């Protein structure tokens, strides 16, 4: 039995597990939404939330940046964490992440999940607006696509083909 045993080992030795969590946290703060296994997601959640709580600190901000910098090695991500993410969650007392289960992975059956920061949810309305307006240069219907193909300028001919055509005309 695993009574009073805190964390999952994730099949890795301690330094490898720490590096894995650091890399996952860096990717989460950089992209705000990542796809990983459910076990890794559940281990990442408290790790990332402690870093966000540290980024919210107002009393000793430079020391907090140094402490977070031990785990997040990318200075751009640390800056984003303290400037935008810390400000976003300033009024929130905790629970900065959400885990969405995706089901089993096709190859090995591992349970997959999406970990996302609150406020970066998927918004399908943006994609529909692009489809309604039509992207510039992209045809809206099949008829327009045929017309666009006909309207394309002819390819520049190579010098050998140009000579051959001139000879055929004479």
């Amino acid at each position: 039995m695993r009574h009073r045993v805190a964390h999952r080992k994730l099949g890795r030795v301690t330094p490898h597990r720490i590096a894995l969590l650091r890399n996952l946290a860096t990717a989460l703060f950089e992209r705000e939404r990542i796809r990983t296994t459910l076990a890794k997601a559940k281990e990442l959640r408290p790790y990332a939330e402690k870093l966000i709580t540290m980024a919210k600190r107002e009393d000793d901000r430079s020391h907090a940046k140094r402490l977070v910098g031990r785990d997040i090695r990318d200075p751009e991500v640390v800056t984003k964490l303290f400037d935008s993410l810390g400000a976003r969650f300033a009024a929130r007392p905790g629970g900065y992440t959400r885990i969405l289960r995706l089901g089993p992975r096709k190859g090995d059956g591992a349970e997959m999940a999406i970990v996302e920061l609150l406020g970066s949810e998927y918004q399908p309305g943006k994609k529909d607006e692009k489809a309604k307006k039509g992207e510039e240069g992209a045809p809206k219907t099949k008829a327009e696509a045929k017309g666009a193909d006909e309207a394309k300028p002819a390819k520049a001919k190579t010098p050998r083909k140009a000579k051959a055509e001139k000879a055929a005309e004479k």
Side-chain angles (χ1 to χ4, degrees):
M1 289 190 224
R2 290 179 46 91
H3 296 302
R4 299 176 61 91
V5 178
H7 300 287
R8 295 167 183 84
K9 291 188 178 181
L10 300 174
R12 289 160 172 81
V13 293
T14 304
H16 189 184
R17 185 169 52 250
I18 292 169
L20 171 76
L21 289 173
R22 285 176 176 170
N23 289 333
L24 284 172
T26 302
L28 177 65
F29 297 142
E30 185 178 3
R31 299 183 185 107
E32 297 191 13
R33 183 182 178 131
I34 59 171
R35 184 172 181 256
T36 185
T37 62
L38 185 62
K40 289 177 191 173
K42 286 181 176 181
E43 281 301 306
L44 175 62
R45 173 184 260 171
Y47 187 82
E49 291 195 1
K50 286 174 188 169
L51 294 174
I52 294 172
T53 301
M54 212 174 297
K56 287 172 38 177
R57 285 174 56 174
E58 293 294 328
D59 55 339
D60 197 0
R61 197 167 170 86
S62 61
H63 181 59
K65 261 191 173 178
R66 280 193 294 273
L67 292 175
V68 169
R70 291 190 305 192
D71 293 325
I72 308 297
R73 301 295 172 108
D74 189 354
E76 293 174 6
V77 175
V78 173
T79 303
K80 178 182 179 180
L81 178 62
F82 275 80
D83 293 345
S84 64
L85 298 178
R88 184 197 305 176
F89 298 120
R92 191 174 184 90
Y96 314 114
T97 59
R98 172 184 294 127
I99 297 176
L100 303 170
R101 292 174 184 234
L102 295 176
R105 183 164 47 196
K106 192 169 187 176
D108 61 356
E111 193 71 27
M112 298 300 290
I114 290 178
V115 183
E116 66 182 6
L117 297 175
L118 295 181
S120 62
E121 290 84 13
Y122 175 67
Q123 297 171 348
K126 290 182 180 179
K127 197 170 192 177
D128 292 340
E129 290 172 8
K130 283 184 182 178
K132 288 179 185 175
K133 292 179 183 176
E135 296 179 31
E136 289 184 29
K140 294 178 187 175
T141 63
K142 288 182 181 178
E144 288 179 11
K146 283 184 180 178
D149 290 340
E150 294 169 2
K152 286 184 182 176
K155 289 185 178 178
K157 295 178 181 159
T158 60
R160 190 177 293 170
K161 287 184 179 179
K163 284 183 183 178
E165 284 185 8
K166 285 182 183 178
E169 288 176 6
K170 290 181 181 178

